[in-house]
Amino acid sequence: MKTLSLICATVVLTATPVYSAQTLYQDYPSDITPELSEKGTYNVGVKTLTVNYPKPVVTLQGQVVDRALKLEVWYPTTDSGAATTYENQTRSGNEFSIQADAIRDASVAETQGSYPVVVLSHGYTGYRTIMYYLGEHLASHGYIVAGIDHTDSTNEDVDFANAPYAGFPSTLLNRSRDQVLTLNAVSEHALFSGVADTQNAGLIGYSMGGFGAVNTVGGCYNFGAEATASFTGVADPAVISALQNVLNTCAGGNADAESVDRRWKAAMALAPWGGQHKVFSEDALNNVRVPMLYVSGDHDDISGYQGIKWLFENTGNENSKLLTFQNARHNIAPHPAPKEAFGNEFDIGHYLEPAWRSETMNDINEHFALAMMECHVKGKADFCAYLNVEGDSGQVAVEGKVPEVWKGFDNRYALGLIMESKPKK
């Protein structure tokens, strides 16, 4: 896994907030962490952007509004300098600051080729830097990575204590649309348009971000009347029918999967929501062309492990896989909890896993995210071998013979994981 330098950890920034920046990761020897979690050859730049929908959008309530997204964009740089910080807040509104390993507003590294764009999409609720470790990691390996603040769905937007579901209808409607808009906006932005790969992109979504990611690559929504009523709070049958027509779209608000943007070459859905309620079309899932890596805890009590398995089993692409964290629940993707979240379960429950260290899970996510992007987005065949691991990672002896350790993991340090692949046709 990438490590923060001691220099970065002790830099005093000119605009230091009243709450001090904290380093969330410890240094571990590289021979006990997954191989592809090591930092790449580039330094990392980061820039905050605000992007607007090109025209007003219609909400599920029928209101016509302007919609904008705030993005955190990481990218390769050869600049050096003081690392920045990421400021955000917990679900109860406690503000915090995280020490980054990226340089604010650095120049983009020159390249003879191009950098693929990867979109990071958080859950409900969340924020654009909740998976910053993936943003920094992939950028250091030659990607432009955009983390989204999904408007109406962030910790800042939602009063999770008093009105926890206020932003959920917007989340259902806009997740996939936001992902598509972000790919287009970043690819066309003046800072990146000359170096962004115009043919190949990747997508990583967590929880409701995974719900959106499945749709974005072709898994069209199929909300029934009961699910529509349950998740929007509407009781009138005529209104429910109208909402079904609005919700049951595909690939960023289109009518069907024929409109999937062919730039998407790989997607990673971490604890994706929706499978447990069968709100996706099985026929559309069976026709998904993009390789999918589903990642789940086998005790996920938010998205439901069996629902995630259902998504995997019905996804048609033959290179799709399911990686299971044994004895994990839902919080398999966020960065480690900041100290401001430790005061109560309400806040720390957004981050904490009972049986896993967040740092370990982040390392594993980095490893397999890079393998997915290098294999399927950049087309580097050597990296596909890191995905072609099977069964239990624990090296349990069979007839007295200990299996080889998973590729990219060190002996005794691949434990608690299961990888499943699609049946060979």
Side-chain angles (χ1 to χ4, degrees):
M1 178 184 172
K2 80 279 179 250
T3 54
L4 299 179
S5 70
L6 293 177
I7 294 176
C8 291
T10 56
V11 165
V12 177
L13 301 180
T14 57
T16 303
V18 294
Y19 39 92
S20 59
Q22 57 201 284
T23 299
L24 297 183
Y25 295 96
Q26 302 179 56
D27 291 341
Y28 286 93
S30 61
D31 55 359
I32 69 168
T33 54
E35 180 182 343
L36 299 187
S37 67
E38 284 300 302
K39 182 179 177 179
T41 57
Y42 289 103
N43 291 336
V44 177
V46 64
K47 190 174 186 67
T48 305
L49 304 177
T50 298
V51 299
N52 300 294
Y53 272 69
K55 58 184 180 181
V57 300
V58 181
T59 70
L60 279 184
Q61 293 78 23
Q63 300 168 311
V64 179
V65 299
D66 292 326
R67 184 171 176 84
L69 305 174
K70 185 176 286 187
L71 310 177
E72 202 77 0
V73 186
W74 297 271
Y75 50 88
T77 186
T78 55
D79 291 359
S80 58
T84 188
T85 58
Y86 306 129
E87 276 70 51
N88 221 287
Q89 64 184 53
T90 67
R91 278 180 168 168
S92 64
N94 294 326
E95 296 181 335
F96 60 84
S97 179
I98 297 170
Q99 178 62 57
D101 200 18
I103 303 165
R104 179 70 60 185
D105 298 327
S107 62
V108 182
E110 295 182 2
T111 177
Q112 294 182 340
S114 57
Y115 304 122
V117 176
V118 177
V119 174
L120 291 183
S121 182
H122 66 73
Y124 181 85
T125 52
Y127 43 90
R128 65 189 184 277
T129 55
I130 200 166
M131 296 182 284
Y132 78 89
Y133 64 95
L134 285 176
E136 292 184 349
H137 183 62
L138 291 172
S140 77
H141 286 273
Y143 293 85
I144 299 167
V145 187
I148 308 172
D149 258 1
H150 289 282
T151 301
D152 308 320
S153 187
T154 66
N155 286 0
E156 183 178 1
D157 292 336
V158 177
D159 182 351
F160 208 77
N162 299 302
Y165 302 112
F168 203 69
S170 173
T171 301
L172 297 176
L173 179 66
N174 291 307
R175 259 309 183 271
S176 180
R177 290 171 166 86
D178 288 353
Q179 293 166 1
V180 172
L181 175 76
T182 297
L183 175 59
N184 292 330
V186 172
S187 299
E188 297 165 5
H189 191 275
L191 185 63
F192 306 113
S193 60
V195 295
D197 189 332
T198 60
Q199 301 299 316
N200 303 288
L203 177 57
I204 301 174
Y206 167 50
S207 193
M208 293 307 294
F211 159 83
V214 173
N215 181 273
T216 295
V217 299
C220 306
Y221 296 135
N222 185 30
F223 280 83
E226 184 176 348
T228 303
S230 176
F231 299 125
T232 64
V234 172
D236 186 322
V239 177
I240 290 170
S241 179
L243 289 177
Q244 284 180 264
N245 291 331
V246 175
L247 287 172
N248 288 337
T249 56
C250 204
N254 291 293
D256 54 49
E258 294 305 312
S259 299
V260 170
D261 192 320
R262 298 306 173 197
R263 287 175 293 177
W264 300 117
K265 296 299 193 298
M268 187 173 178
L270 297 138
W273 184 88
Q276 77 274 46
H277 302 295
K278 306 293 193 298
V279 297
F280 296 92
S281 161
E282 286 191 40
D283 288 342
L285 286 170
N286 287 330
N287 290 312
V288 167
R289 304 178 190 179
V290 176
M292 297 283 298
L293 175 60
Y294 293 97
V295 186
S296 178
D298 61 2
H299 288 266
D300 190 321
D301 51 354
I302 302 297
S303 293
Y305 184 53
Q306 293 305 316
I308 296 166
K309 285 180 71 74
W310 178 84
L311 288 171
F312 162 67
E313 290 165 356
N314 285 283
T315 296
N317 182 276
E318 63 182 9
N319 291 313
S320 296
K321 296 178 179 291
L322 171 63
L323 177 67
T324 299
F325 284 95
Q326 294 178 286
N327 295 314
R329 292 200 183 276
H330 187 67
N331 295 333
I332 62 172
H335 61 67
K339 62 179 182 291
E340 288 80 2
F342 278 69
N344 55 75
E345 194 281 333
F346 182 74
D347 280 336
I348 202 168
H350 198 185
Y351 306 92
L352 190 67
E353 272 296 320
W356 283 82
R357 293 173 56 255
S358 295
E359 295 94 324
T360 299
M361 304 185 97
N362 292 174
D363 282 346
I364 292 166
N365 291 340
E366 286 179 343
H367 174 86
F368 284 108
L370 184 61
M372 281 293 289
M373 301 306 153
E374 294 286 278
C375 172
H376 297 297
V377 177
K378 289 188 178 179
K380 295 182 177 180
D382 290 352
F383 284 83
C384 301
Y386 293 96
L387 299 168
N388 294 331
V389 294
E390 289 291 337
D392 194 312
S393 66
Q395 296 178 274
V396 177
V398 178
E399 296 181 352
K401 184 177 181 180
V402 177
E404 289 292 323
V405 69
W406 281 10
K407 183 173 175 60
F409 288 79
D410 285 284
N411 188 49
R412 299 181 65 249
Y413 287 96
L415 189 63
L417 304 171
I418 297 173
M419 182 72 87
E420 298 175 56
S421 302
K422 303 295 290 185
K424 299 299 181 185
K425 295 180 181 180

